[in-house]
Structure formats: C-alpha cells, structure tokens
Amino acid sequence: TIEMYFSSFLPAFLAFSGIVTASAIPSPFLESRQSSPAAGVVYSKCSKPGVFALAFDDGPGQYTEELIKTLNAAGAKATFFFTGTLYGCIYNRAAAVKAAYSSGHQVASHTWTHPQTLDSMSVSQLTIEMRKLETALVNIIGVKPTYMRPPYLKTGGNVPTAMRNLGYRMITDSVDSQDWNGLSVSASEQKFRSAGPSTPDGKGHISLLHETYANTVRDLVPRLIKWAKENNLKMVTVAECLGDANGAYAKGNGGGAQTC
C-alpha cells in the first residue's frame, strides 16, 4: 500500500540525504492501526498508565440510575455491559440506558440472555445473542456498541470468531471485585488496594463489578472512587483506557417490536 511504501522508503531516503541519522521514523498510518483495539481480541487491561476503568456487568437494574448519579457527581466515567433480559426486559429500563449514554458513560454488550454456555454455542447462536441486544440498543440510544464482555468471561470456542465477524472487542478484567461471589465490601476494596494503581507492566486496571448489588453501588463504588483519586487515576471508559475513545459505537439497525 502507499503508506507501507512511504513508511519504508522515507527513512532510508532521509538517512541517505543526511537529513537524519537516527532510527527509522515510525509511520503515523501504522501507529494508528496498531493502537486501535481489534475485533475478536481479548483485552484485560488498559493500554496506558494513569487511568482506571470502572466496568459494570449485568444491568440495567434497579440501581443503575443511582449509580450513574454517584459517578457523575464524582466526575467519573464508567462502562456498562448491559444485557437484554437478565434483570427484566431492557426496554422497561430504557431510561437508565439513556441516562448512562447521555452522561458520557460507555454502553457496551453483555449479550441478550447472559448464557452460561457461551463458549459452546455456534457462531449462528452467538450472532443471535449479540444482534438482539444491538437492535434494542439502537432503538434506545440510536447506536450499537463495539465492545462486549462475555458472561462468565468465557472467551473460548466460537466466541472470538463470532465477535470478530460482528466487530466486537472482547473485554475481561485485571481486577475482579468478586462482588458476585459474596465478598464483603471491605474485602473487595482490598483487592484493588492490593493490586495497586496499575498492572505489573504499568497499565491501568479494568475492573469487574456488578451494578445489580446495592452494596456495590452504595458502598464499594464510593470507596473505589476515593481510592482512584488518592492515586491520581483518571476514571475513564474502557474504550478511552484502550486509546479508542471515539470508537465505542457504530451505526446499527433498529426496528421491530420493542419487547423482550
């Protein structure tokens, strides 16, 4: 391609001309491609330091709007991995989904029904799971997400192929609060403090939390906001923490009966 030719020819030409003697100049075209998260690939941590991605699964639920108010008051951005039917029909909580989106939080996919057997499903079955939620989200907020977190973090089987075909980046985590496992708020908080403000290679954390637990929303999240501020961490969406702040959504197709 032209940019590949440019990136290989220009450094040699400049060096020959005596204009530069340092190492090859990196191509801005190639850098852009390398920094953009790829569909069908698993990301468990941020791509840069100094950030913290609060990421919540299983909503929208009864505490979602309360959580959004807490985040907004703290100047924090978060990511919501929504399902279609896990805690009731998503259309019945459309106001919460709209509130998350309009507040600048990232709306992402956690599949339509939250199946336990995600990694044993066919590509066709996985596509149906994702498309149903896409349609609902387009109907509610006008766009479809390009990020997803697989239920139970199951990334095997046909999941990578299906997500690559559908254009989804796959997210797991670097710190699991284990609120889903009955861990106390203090014990969950300690998991983050023990992990430190960054991963061993200096990148920001992507968290695993659930907005469906009152203790998480009302007690753990304020503690984590305080912890992040103590460590001068900017609380950002998953897309932003991966250097993809403008790539969280794509155009999609809505329509159909707005029921579950």
Side-chain angles (χ1 to χ4, degrees), residues 63-75 80 99 103 105:
Y63 307 114
T64 302
E65 291 180 88
E66 180 180 346
L67 173 58
I68 291 167
K69 290 178 181 178
T70 298
L71 294 168
N72 291 351
F80 291 86
S103 295
H105 304 293

Side-chain angles (χ1 to χ4, degrees), residues 75-194:
K77 298 302 180 188
T79 300
F80 291 86
F81 291 97
F82 287 141
T83 70
T85 62
L86 186 60
Y87 281 84
C89 180
I90 191 171
Y91 287 111
N92 295 335
R93 299 194 186 276
V97 178
K98 290 178 181 178
Y101 180 72
S102 64
S103 295
H105 304 293
Q106 183 179 353
V107 172
S109 176
H110 199 43
T111 73
W112 181 247
T113 65
H114 199 275
Q116 294 185 10
T117 57
L118 198 76
D119 55 351
S120 64
M121 296 171 70
S122 68
V123 170
S124 176
Q125 290 171 322
L126 290 165
T127 299
I128 291 171
E129 276 285 333
M130 301 303 292
R131 290 295 194 205
K132 281 187 175 181
L133 186 58
E134 278 183 13
T135 300
L137 290 175
V138 173
N139 285 336
I140 295 170
I141 61 174
V143 291
K144 70 176 184 179
T146 62
Y147 283 75
M148 66 87 66
R149 182 141 64 185
Y152 309 101
L153 305 182
K154 292 187 175 180
T155 58
N158 292 313
V159 177
T161 298
M163 297 311 131
R164 183 170 59 252
N165 293 345
L166 294 168
Y168 281 93
R169 291 85 159 181
M170 301 162 58
I171 304 302
T172 55
D173 69 278
S174 57
V175 183
D176 180 357
S177 69
Q178 291 201 11
D179 54 357
W180 55 271
N181 200 29
L183 215 61
S184 70
V185 168
S186 294
S188 291
E189 178 190 9
Q190 188 56 44
K191 290 181 71 66
F192 288 86
R193 293 191 176 276
S194 296

